[in-house]
PDB file of all heavy atoms in Angstrom:
ATOM      1  N   ARG A 108     -11.168 -24.356   2.348  1.00 80.00           N
ATOM      2  CA  ARG A 108      -9.821 -23.947   2.779  1.00 80.00           C
ATOM      3  C   ARG A 108      -8.945 -23.641   1.571  1.00 80.00           C
ATOM      4  O   ARG A 108      -8.184 -22.688   1.560  1.00 80.00           O
ATOM      5  CB  ARG A 108      -9.202 -25.071   3.595  1.00 80.00           C
ATOM      6  CG  ARG A 108      -9.758 -25.233   4.972  1.00 80.00           C
ATOM      7  CD  ARG A 108      -9.031 -26.341   5.681  1.00 80.00           C
ATOM      8  NE  ARG A 108      -9.347 -27.625   5.097  1.00 80.00           N
ATOM      9  CZ  ARG A 108     -10.185 -28.508   5.620  1.00 80.00           C
ATOM     10  NH1 ARG A 108     -10.779 -28.237   6.748  1.00 80.00           N
ATOM     11  NH2 ARG A 108     -10.429 -29.663   5.043  1.00 80.00           N
ATOM     12  N   ARG A 109      -9.103 -24.483   0.548  1.00 83.00           N
ATOM     13  CA  ARG A 109      -8.273 -24.286  -0.646  1.00 83.00           C
ATOM     14  C   ARG A 109      -8.596 -22.969  -1.326  1.00 83.00           C
ATOM     15  O   ARG A 109      -7.711 -22.246  -1.775  1.00 83.00           O
ATOM     16  CB  ARG A 109      -8.487 -25.442  -1.616  1.00 83.00           C
ATOM     17  CG  ARG A 109      -7.439 -26.527  -1.459  1.00 83.00           C
ATOM     18  CD  ARG A 109      -7.619 -27.594  -2.467  1.00 83.00           C
ATOM     19  NE  ARG A 109      -8.637 -28.544  -2.051  1.00 83.00           N
ATOM     20  CZ  ARG A 109      -8.989 -29.615  -2.748  1.00 83.00           C
ATOM     21  NH1 ARG A 109      -8.414 -29.874  -3.882  1.00 83.00           N
ATOM     22  NH2 ARG A 109      -9.908 -30.445  -2.305  1.00 83.00           N
ATOM     23  N   SER A 119      -1.009 -12.124  -2.111  1.00 96.00           N
ATOM     24  CA  SER A 119       0.446 -12.054  -1.950  1.00 96.00           C
ATOM     25  C   SER A 119       1.111 -11.730  -3.293  1.00 96.00           C
ATOM     26  O   SER A 119       2.053 -10.934  -3.360  1.00 96.00           O
ATOM     27  CB  SER A 119       0.949 -13.391  -1.405  1.00 96.00           C
ATOM     28  OG  SER A 119       2.342 -13.464  -1.485  1.00 96.00           O
ATOM     29  N   SER A 224       4.550  10.976   7.456  1.00 86.00           N
ATOM     30  CA  SER A 224       5.760  10.189   7.708  1.00 86.00           C
ATOM     31  C   SER A 224       6.960  10.724   6.935  1.00 86.00           C
ATOM     32  O   SER A 224       8.076  10.271   7.147  1.00 86.00           O
ATOM     33  CB  SER A 224       5.514   8.724   7.335  1.00 86.00           C
ATOM     34  OG  SER A 224       5.055   8.637   6.008  1.00 86.00           O
TER      35      SER A 224
ATOM     36  N   GLN B 246       4.096  -8.553   3.885  1.00 97.00           N
ATOM     37  CA  GLN B 246       4.168  -8.034   2.520  1.00 97.00           C
ATOM     38  C   GLN B 246       3.434  -6.705   2.382  1.00 97.00           C
ATOM     39  O   GLN B 246       3.902  -5.808   1.676  1.00 97.00           O
ATOM     40  CB  GLN B 246       3.564  -9.047   1.552  1.00 97.00           C
ATOM     41  CG  GLN B 246       4.568 -10.043   0.999  1.00 97.00           C
ATOM     42  CD  GLN B 246       3.978 -10.845  -0.134  1.00 97.00           C
ATOM     43  OE1 GLN B 246       2.908 -11.411   0.012  1.00 97.00           O
ATOM     44  NE2 GLN B 246       4.671 -10.908  -1.237  1.00 97.00           N
ATOM     45  N   GLU B 255       6.428   4.543   0.533  1.00 87.00           N
ATOM     46  CA  GLU B 255       6.787   5.745   1.298  1.00 87.00           C
ATOM     47  C   GLU B 255       8.221   6.160   0.980  1.00 87.00           C
ATOM     48  O   GLU B 255       8.517   7.330   0.766  1.00 87.00           O
ATOM     49  CB  GLU B 255       6.656   5.479   2.800  1.00 87.00           C
ATOM     50  CG  GLU B 255       5.250   5.563   3.332  1.00 87.00           C
ATOM     51  CD  GLU B 255       4.745   6.992   3.424  1.00 87.00           C
ATOM     52  OE1 GLU B 255       5.563   7.914   3.378  1.00 87.00           O
ATOM     53  OE2 GLU B 255       3.516   7.162   3.514  1.00 87.00           O
ATOM     54  N   TYR B 283       0.722 -22.986  -0.284  1.00 93.00           N
ATOM     55  CA  TYR B 283      -0.552 -23.276  -0.944  1.00 93.00           C
ATOM     56  C   TYR B 283      -0.535 -24.688  -1.537  1.00 93.00           C
ATOM     57  O   TYR B 283      -1.510 -25.437  -1.400  1.00 93.00           O
ATOM     58  CB  TYR B 283      -0.841 -22.251  -2.043  1.00 93.00           C
ATOM     59  CG  TYR B 283      -1.992 -22.662  -2.917  1.00 93.00           C
ATOM     60  CD1 TYR B 283      -3.290 -22.685  -2.404  1.00 93.00           C
ATOM     61  CD2 TYR B 283      -1.797 -23.049  -4.236  1.00 93.00           C
ATOM     62  CE1 TYR B 283      -4.350 -23.089  -3.177  1.00 93.00           C
ATOM     63  CE2 TYR B 283      -2.855 -23.456  -5.021  1.00 93.00           C
ATOM     64  CZ  TYR B 283      -4.131 -23.476  -4.488  1.00 93.00           C
ATOM     65  OH  TYR B 283      -5.185 -23.886  -5.257  1.00 93.00           O
ATOM     66  N   ASP B 287      -3.005 -27.618  -0.459  1.00 87.00           N
ATOM     67  CA  ASP B 287      -3.790 -28.304  -1.487  1.00 87.00           C
ATOM     68  C   ASP B 287      -3.630 -29.818  -1.377  1.00 87.00           C
ATOM     69  O   ASP B 287      -4.612 -30.569  -1.398  1.00 87.00           O
ATOM     70  CB  ASP B 287      -3.332 -27.791  -2.856  1.00 87.00           C
ATOM     71  CG  ASP B 287      -4.313 -28.156  -3.941  1.00 87.00           C
ATOM     72  OD1 ASP B 287      -5.532 -28.002  -3.695  1.00 87.00           O
ATOM     73  OD2 ASP B 287      -3.886 -28.601  -5.012  1.00 87.00           O
ATOM     74  N   ASP B 290      -5.095 -31.148   1.955  1.00 81.00           N
ATOM     75  CA  ASP B 290      -6.555 -31.070   1.920  1.00 81.00           C
ATOM     76  C   ASP B 290      -7.129 -32.204   1.068  1.00 81.00           C
ATOM     77  O   ASP B 290      -8.128 -32.823   1.434  1.00 81.00           O
ATOM     78  CB  ASP B 290      -6.967 -29.704   1.366  1.00 81.00           C
ATOM     79  CG  ASP B 290      -8.410 -29.390   1.680  1.00 81.00           C
ATOM     80  OD1 ASP B 290      -8.831 -29.688   2.815  1.00 81.00           O
ATOM     81  OD2 ASP B 290      -9.118 -28.869   0.811  1.00 81.00           O
TER      82      ASP B 290
END
Side-chain angles (χ1 to χ4, degrees):
Chain A
R108 286 182 291 257
R109 265 184 278 181
S119 168
S224 54
Chain B
Q246 270 191 308
E255 280 286 343
Y283 169 69
D287 195 44
D290 197 41

